[in-house]
Amino acid sequence: MSATLALLLRRDLALLLSGRRGGPVLPILFFLAVAMLFPFAIGPDPRLLARVGGGVIWVAALLAAILPLDRLVEPDLELGVFDQLALRGVSEEAVLAVRVLAHWLSFAPWLMLATLPASALLGIDAATLRVVEWGLLAGTPGLAALGVMVAAITCGLRGGAALGGLLVIPLAVPLLIFGAGAVAQAGIDGGGSGLALAAAVSLVLLAVAPFAGAAAIRAGR
Amino acid sequence: MQGGSGTSDRASVGLSARGLACRRGDRVLFAGLSLELGPGAALHVVGANGIGKSSLIRLLAGLARPYAGAVRREGAAGLLDERPALEPALPLGKALAFWAAADGHRAMAEVHRMLGLDPLLDVPVRYLSTGQRKRAALARLIGQAAPIWLLDEPLNGLDAAAAELVARIVGEHCAGGGICVVASHQPFAVPAIGRLELAEFAA
C-alpha cells in the first residue's frame, strides 16, 4: 500500500510539474501579473503600496490557486485511474491525500519564490516580507487541500471549473483573514498569532479534504 | 497488495452475487440476479444497449453499490472498460510502467510482444487508435494478474485478429483457474463459456 502511494506521489508530481496537467508556470505568472496590477491601479505611492502589499500578495496567491483546479482530479476520473486504484485496494481518500501533497509541492515553493519579485514590485520591506512568507508557508497547505477537495466535488459537472473557483473563494476567507492579518499585526506581535491561526485553518482543511473529496467521488460514480 | 496474493491460491477463487438489483437514477435496470462462478468459469453477459451490462460489471467489481443484494469476491478483481487509465500525454511504455510498478514489476516484455505493443511503446497514448488503446489496457490487465477478470466490451475497436487473440487470452486465463465475466454484444469464442441474458432479469 505505502509503496503504491509513493509511486502515486511520484507520478502525480511528474504530471503536475511537467506541465502535462497545466504545470506551475501559468499560475505563477498570473500571480505576478495580479501583484503587478495593483501599483498601476492605486498609484505609485510607496507608503500606500507597502501598507496594502501583504494583503495584495495574499489575494494574488488565492486567485492563482484557483487556476489549476480543473486539472487536479477530473482527468484521472475520466481515465478511470480512481477505479483501477480502488481495485488494487487504494482508497479514494489515500489517492486524494497524495494528490494534496503533490499539488502543494508543485505549487507552493514556486509561489513563495515568486513572492520575492512581487514584494519588490509592491515595495514591501524585509520584515513584512518575512511575515508574508511564513504566512504562505502556513496557509498554502490549506489552499492545496481546499483546491483538491473542491476539484473532487465539482468534477464531472458542466462548468465545474468556474463553480470550483466560486466555491474556493468563500472557503479560503479564513486563511486570507489570518494570513493577511498576520502581516497587519507584524508591528505588534510579529504576526505570530495570525500565523498560528492560519496554520490551524490549514490543518483543519488538510484533515477534512481527503474524506470530503473521496465521498464526492464515490457519490458521483 | 491484493493483486499479488490473488494468483498464488487459485483454489479459493470465487465470484458470486445474490439477489442483485441495480438502479440508475430513478429506474431499476435489473433485479433478482444471482450467479455463482468458481475457478475456471467464464460468463458472457449479453443484452441490448442500456440494459445494464456495464452497471453489472461495476457492481461485480465493487465499484458501485447494489440497490439490493450482495456481491462476494474471493480474489482480486481486474477491470477492463472503455477507459484505459493510461495518461494520454505519456509515451505508452511509461504509462504502462506505472501500473507494472504498482502491480509488482512482472516481466511485461512477453505480454507487450504478444499484444503487438512493442512498436508503440514510444508513442504518446493520445496518438493511439481505439484498438491500440484497448490492447494496451489489456496488457495492464494481464500485468495485474488478478484472478477475477471483469471485461466490459473488450472487443470494441479491435480487428478480427486482435479479437481472436483476446478470446484466446481469456481462454488461457480461465484454463489457469481464473474467472472471467465478459459483457459484450459481440459473440465471444471461449470454450465452455456460460451465457447470461440480462433481459431475463429486467425489472
Side-chain angles (χ1 to χ4, degrees), chain B:
Chain B
M1 294 303 305
Q2 297 178 350
S5 60
T7 39
S8 54
D9 189 14
R10 288 249 156 131
S12 64
V13 170
L15 176 67
S16 61
R18 207 163 25 76
L20 211 55
C22 169
R23 195 181 71 165
R24 293 298 280 176
D26 50 7
R27 218 158 56 90
V28 175
L29 292 177
F30 55 81
L33 190 154
S34 296
L35 55 83
E36 179 93 50
L37 299 174
L43 183 68
H44 187 186
V45 181
V46 292
N49 294 139
I51 203 162
K53 297 192 294 290
S54 300
S55 301
L56 174 61
I57 291 286
R58 293 184 66 77
L59 284 179
L60 293 177
L63 293 171
R65 257 210 308 257
Y67 182 50
V71 174
R72 214 161 60 95
R73 277 183 314 280
E74 283 161 65
L79 172 73
L80 178 79
D81 58 9
E82 80 284 8
R83 298 165 308 159
L86 298 169
E87 181 61 31
L90 290 180
L92 177 61
K94 273 195 171 169
L96 281 172
F98 169 73
W99 292 112
D103 292 327
H105 282 300
R106 289 182 182 81
M108 293 300 290
E110 182 61 39
V111 175
H112 293 163
R113 197 162 36 247
M114 177 176 69
L115 290 165
L117 295 173
D118 270 341
L120 302 173
L121 291 178
D122 292 330
V123 180
V125 173
R126 69 162 169 272
Y127 293 133
L128 299 182
S129 73
T130 313
Q132 289 168 333
R133 232 171 275 198
K134 191 68 100 185
R135 277 188 276 151
L138 203 61
R140 188 205 65 222
L141 176 75
I142 294 171
Q144 190 187 350
I148 302 173
W149 280 9
L150 304 167
L151 315 183
D152 188 7
E153 299 290 358
L155 303 183
N156 269 10
L158 292 182
D159 55 32
E164 214 168 279
L165 181 65
V166 170
R168 209 184 71 216
I169 291 170
V170 168
E172 283 170 10
H173 175 69
C174 292
I179 292 175
C180 187
V181 179
V182 185
S184 175
H185 55 265
Q186 282 154 298
F188 206 78
V190 171
I193 192 166
R195 195 176 159 88
L196 177 76
E197 287 276 2
L198 211 48
E200 291 172 14
F201 301 94

Side-chain angles (χ1 to χ4, degrees), chain A residues 27-43:
Chain A
I28 295 304
L29 286 178
F30 182 78
F31 166 78
L32 284 172
V34 172
M36 198 183 66
L37 277 180
F38 273 81
F40 287 124
I42 63 176

Side-chain angles (χ1 to χ4, degrees), chain A residues 1-190:
Chain A
M1 176 88 173
S2 58
T4 311
L5 291 184
L7 197 69
L8 191 62
L9 178 64
R10 266 220 314 276
R11 166 193 181 270
D12 285 359
L13 260 182
L15 286 174
L16 288 171
L17 278 174
S18 69
R20 293 194 168 95
R21 296 263 171 99
V25 176
L26 278 181
I28 295 304
L29 286 178
F30 182 78
F31 166 78
L32 284 172
V34 172
M36 198 183 66
L37 277 180
F38 273 81
F40 287 124
I42 63 176
D45 176 8
R47 279 215 320 274
L48 181 61
L49 279 178
R51 220 169 76 78
V52 300
V56 167
I57 285 181
W58 265 95
V59 171
L62 181 54
L63 293 177
I66 292 172
L67 283 190
L69 275 191
D70 59 330
R71 313 308 301 158
L72 284 178
V73 175
E74 177 119 33
D76 281 341
L77 204 68
E78 276 172 12
L79 286 171
V81 172
F82 280 95
D83 288 349
Q84 291 297 333
L85 286 170
L87 288 171
R88 286 159 175 83
V90 184
S91 68
E92 289 80 9
E93 284 86 352
V95 180
L96 288 182
V98 168
R99 188 63 45 91
V100 169
L101 181 57
H103 176 41
W104 184 77
L105 286 173
S106 73
F107 178 68
W110 310 108
L111 187 75
M112 293 176 68
L113 211 60
T115 298
L116 299 176
S119 66
L121 285 169
L122 293 163
I124 295 173
D125 61 62
T128 312
L129 174 62
R130 202 161 56 231
V131 179
V132 170
E133 291 281 17
W134 277 113
L136 287 177
L137 189 63
T140 44
L143 270 186
L146 188 57
V148 170
M149 176 173 82
V150 168
I153 289 171
T154 57
C155 67
L157 299 179
R158 229 176 324 148
L163 183 62
L166 272 181
L167 278 173
V168 162
I169 288 174
L171 289 170
V173 163
L175 279 174
L176 191 69
I177 289 175
F178 296 130
V183 181
Q185 283 184 321
I188 304 165
D189 65 348

